[in-house]
Amino acid sequence: MAWTREQMAARAAKELRDGFYVNLGIGIPTLVSNYIPDGIDVNLQSENGMLGMGPFPYEGEEDADLINAGKQTVSELPTTSYFSSADSFGMVRGGHIDLSILGAMQVAENGDLANWMIPGKMVKGMGGAMDLVAGVKKVVVIMEHTAKDEPKLLHQCKLPLTGAGVVDMVITDLAVFTIDRKGGSGMTLTELAPGVTLDEIKRKTEASYSVGAGLK
């Protein structure tokens, strides 16, 4: 059985470490804020100039002035601070963000990422992903394993790249992969969603990967 969006977000939350500064991308990654493990203190940062975001507010408690980069209402914490988007990107470009969790259209086996445009379709803007993947210390991608039954884990990305060799981990609705983009050992399948088989992953993955010892 494939993981739900919430289960994918909960799995990504396991990558959080105490004291981390974390940027959450639009879509499934925003759900990670609801699954921060007990005893872990992290600071969630948004490109529009908010540091210290809380979880999504309950219905009826929304404040239209408190939004993340995806225009979703969020809550604030006693430690929340606000500043300009220029200062926010200064944090990103200066290497002060420990972890970025974002979505993708395609990921290549060497860690290349494509998540900002499809040629021929209207693009509202590039957003902050190009800065994020270049400036942060670790990049985790959350995405569905396939799109219209076509693999999204590829030998080479077919869409324009957001960043080359930038992804460290991919969490799909079917499995978890790590990518050794610095050591050169490539992509490794490390976890399977309940009920998902190695044969299913093989059928739905174009990229070359090794299988972790715990799955053999």
Side-chain angles (χ1 to χ4, degrees), residues 200-213:
E200 183 177 359
I201 296 298
K202 186 176 181 179
R203 291 196 310 270
K204 296 182 177 180
T205 306
E206 178 191 295
S208 298
Y209 60 90
S210 60
V211 178

Side-chain angles (χ1 to χ4, degrees), residues 5-6 27 32-33 37 46 64 75 77 86 88 91 93 107 121 142 153 165 169 172 175 200 205-206 208-209 214 216:
R5 292 163 56 93
E6 288 74 17
V32 173
S33 62
S46 179
S75 62
L77 303 170
S88 181
M91 289 183 65
R93 294 166 183 164
V107 175
K121 293 194 175 183
I142 305 178
L153 288 171
M169 174 179 282
T172 77
E200 183 177 359
T205 306
E206 178 191 295
S208 298
Y209 60 90
K216 293 180 180 179

